[in-house]
Amino acid sequence: MNRFSHSLYVLIAVWLSIVPSQTNAMSRSEAETQFRNWLATAVNRDARAAGVKQALYDQVTETLALDWSIPDLRPPGSGGGQTQRQAEFGSPGPYFNERTLSSLAATGRSLLARHGRTLDAIERRYGVPRRIVVAIWGKESAFGRAKIPHNALRILATQAFMGARKEIFYPELIAALKIIGEDHIAPGEMKSSWAGALGQPQFLPSKFLQYAVDFDGDGKRDIWGSEPDTLASIANFLHKHGWQTGRDWGFEAVIPASISCALEGPEQGKLIAEWARMGATRVSGNPFPDHEARRGGYLLMPAGRHGPAFIATDNFYVLKSYNESDLYALYIGNLADRMAGGGAFKGSWQKVGGFQRSAVAAMQRRLEQKGHDVGGADGLVGFKTRIAVGKWQTAQGQTPTCFPDAKLVKELR
């Protein structure tokens, strides 16, 4: 072997050592075959145990095939998932797009009037304000006008067979089969998002079985085509999660520097009157309502000192049970307030973020090593991470902002 051939041999050997082998990865046809076997055995067994009749099961799974367009699939033998683009953590501000919020509020006001009689009955039964129910309807599916194009069974079966979170989606697949077995929706009409969320309220199938209601009295819980069923199901969800009738979701507030931003979160609540004594005031200039002042409230600063601040009530955290995101719950609260004549938040969202979620996760791991509870190193800046950042900044002699910037992320990597 000459020197050139030897060098080429070495380069090829090195290349082979760093490129993952694909010899164990199944072809699509092989994966589909394994998928069919899985449907015929494990899924069939568990669907029957859930009460789905064999004839119906055979009918709905006869032509069921994998959906290869779903992101982050992990086919059998692949040894991992499809490559995803690294998500960037950005400023909360763009989430509250003014044009979108204004449009949804205008449409929502007209729908409050159009469905007034139905919403009266829903509010009497469940105790949840109509504007909150309609705001969620608007956010989740543009009041039922958004396209929900995917075949739910195909999406759920694919996710349960080779998605990144198979253990979560498998029971959702069985729940979806049970919904069909109870004749609430025809198999071909059960539409979902690519993540398997169903119909206008975007319930996962297990949530449908727990919270969807038949409010129009036709014997079916139809969250795809029935507006009364959709609205009542949203209200029932919030009611079952502890919505407190007569309370607001929260109040935008001015939080002085004397109140540490590290006092945020549902674990550090005080009477709203106590927050007021400490110096918190409403941005409107009005006092906190007497009936609210006597009850608990929680400091909420989703962007730390870089954005609007709030005194939230327990109902804010009920909204978070619908979608575990501070920004989502704030969006619903603000949209609902706009339907009642309110406007945008007074505080401005400053531009923060602009770094990779992997960098945030590295920062969180460093804070954990220093004894801080960040709520998990997931690359998301939740309230526990904001509290930890504020405490770390205070310990370093810095003025706490309770929100990471590029410099802080770099310091803590």
Side-chain angles (χ1 to χ4, degrees), residues 36 89 140 148 160 168 252 280 328 354 359 366 386 410:
R36 297 302 310 172
F89 182 82
E140 294 296 338
I148 304 173
I168 292 174
E252 188 179 359
Y328 177 90
R366 287 286 292 150
R386 297 194 294 269
K410 186 176 181 179

Side-chain angles (χ1 to χ4, degrees), residues 223-293:
I223 61 171
W224 294 267
S226 169
E227 291 170 341
D229 288 4
T230 293
L231 295 167
S233 296
I234 293 170
N236 185 47
F237 181 100
L238 298 176
H239 170 71
K240 291 288 181 61
H241 280 81
W243 185 272
Q244 297 179 2
T245 303
R247 297 203 71 187
D248 210 321
W249 64 268
F251 308 89
E252 188 179 359
V254 177
I255 305 299
S258 58
I259 298 178
S260 171
C261 52
L263 291 175
E264 187 188 359
E267 299 166 357
Q268 303 187 88
K270 305 176 187 296
L271 293 179
I272 291 179
E274 179 62 20
W275 288 114
R277 282 192 290 271
M278 293 170 66
T281 58
R282 294 176 65 184
V283 294
S284 66
N286 298 324
F288 293 102
D290 287 341
H291 73 281
E292 294 283 11

Side-chain angles (χ1 to χ4, degrees), residues 4-5 26 71 77 82 87 132 147 152 169 173 184 196 214 217 277-278 305 347 351 383 387 410:
F4 174 79
S5 298
M26 286 187 179
Q82 296 174 349
I132 292 289
K147 290 183 178 179
F169 279 98
L173 171 61
H184 294 291
D214 170 23
R277 282 192 290 271
M278 293 170 66
R305 292 286 179 182
K351 188 175 182 180
F383 75 90
I387 292 168
K410 186 176 181 179

Side-chain angles (χ1 to χ4, degrees), residues 281-357:
T281 58
R282 294 176 65 184
V283 294
S284 66
N286 298 324
F288 293 102
D290 287 341
H291 73 281
E292 294 283 11
R294 296 189 297 270
R295 304 183 75 173
Y298 310 89
L299 181 60
L300 174 68
M301 302 181 75
R305 292 286 179 182
H306 301 298
F310 307 86
I311 298 296
T313 74
D314 290 297
N315 283 342
F316 175 84
Y317 292 98
V318 175
L319 292 177
K320 277 192 70 174
S321 69
Y322 206 97
N323 181 314
E324 191 60 33
S325 161
D326 288 335
L327 297 184
Y328 177 90
L330 273 178
Y331 193 103
I332 297 303
N334 184 240
L335 178 54
D337 288 351
R338 287 171 184 245
M339 292 180 196
F345 295 135
K346 300 295 184 183
S348 61
W349 299 98
Q350 298 172 30
K351 188 175 182 180
V352 291
F355 31 80
Q356 302 297 317
R357 279 182 57 179

Side-chain angles (χ1 to χ4, degrees), residues 18-309:
I18 63 175
V19 176
S21 171
Q22 299 298 316
T23 57
N24 293 327
M26 286 187 179
S27 67
R28 287 197 177 188
S29 62
E30 290 171 327
E32 292 280 3
T33 298
Q34 190 174 110
F35 174 67
R36 297 302 310 172
N37 292 335
W38 175 73
L39 288 176
T41 53
V43 182
N44 188 10
R45 178 197 65 227
D46 293 338
R48 292 296 303 280
V52 180
K53 294 181 179 179
Q54 187 68 56
L56 177 61
Y57 181 81
D58 292 342
Q59 175 190 337
V60 299
T61 61
E62 182 179 6
T63 59
L64 199 57
L66 292 167
D67 186 337
W68 292 87
S69 69
I70 296 174
D72 199 24
L73 295 179
R74 301 185 179 184
S78 66
Q82 296 174 349
T83 301
Q84 299 186 85
R85 291 178 295 177
Q86 175 62 53
E88 182 179 272
F89 182 82
S91 170
Y95 188 82
F96 298 89
N97 181 277
E98 182 59 29
R99 180 178 296 180
T100 302
L101 271 162
S102 295
S103 176
L104 286 173
T107 303
R109 283 190 289 270
S110 69
L111 292 173
L112 284 170
R114 184 187 305 174
H115 297 287
R117 183 175 298 179
T118 298
L119 289 165
D120 283 343
I122 290 171
E123 197 164 343
R124 283 195 301 270
R125 182 176 299 183
Y126 300 108
V128 180
R130 65 194 66 203
R131 60 193 177 90
I132 292 289
V133 173
V134 172
I136 290 176
W137 186 30
K139 176 62 172 169
E140 294 296 338
S141 63
F143 311 107
R145 300 171 187 180
K147 290 183 178 179
I148 304 173
H150 300 288
N151 180 295
L153 282 181
R154 188 181 185 197
I155 290 290
L156 291 164
T158 302
Q159 293 278 21
F161 179 70
M162 61 178 188
R165 297 181 295 163
K166 294 186 291 187
E167 70 286 351
I168 292 174
F169 279 98
Y170 187 81
E172 298 298 342
L173 171 61
I174 303 303
L177 291 164
K178 187 173 181 179
I179 292 168
I180 293 171
E182 293 179 356
D183 197 29
H184 294 291
I185 188 75
E189 296 173 10
M190 181 186 273
K191 299 297 184 180
S192 76
S193 69
W194 69 263
L198 305 176
Q200 297 183 44
Q202 288 290 275
F203 283 171
L204 285 172
S206 61
K207 297 296 186 285
F208 175 100
L209 292 173
Q210 289 178 275
Y211 306 112
V213 297
D214 170 23
F215 204 74
D216 60 15
D218 68 352
K220 298 182 180 182
R221 294 184 277 174
D222 181 8
I223 61 171
W224 294 267
S226 169
E227 291 170 341
D229 288 4
T230 293
L231 295 167
S233 296
I234 293 170
N236 185 47
F237 181 100
L238 298 176
H239 170 71
K240 291 288 181 61
H241 280 81
W243 185 272
Q244 297 179 2
T245 303
R247 297 203 71 187
D248 210 321
W249 64 268
F251 308 89
E252 188 179 359
V254 177
I255 305 299
S258 58
I259 298 178
S260 171
C261 52
L263 291 175
E264 187 188 359
E267 299 166 357
Q268 303 187 88
K270 305 176 187 296
L271 293 179
I272 291 179
E274 179 62 20
W275 288 114
R277 282 192 290 271
M278 293 170 66
T281 58
R282 294 176 65 184
V283 294
S284 66
N286 298 324
F288 293 102
D290 287 341
H291 73 281
E292 294 283 11
R294 296 189 297 270
R295 304 183 75 173
Y298 310 89
L299 181 60
L300 174 68
M301 302 181 75
R305 292 286 179 182
H306 301 298

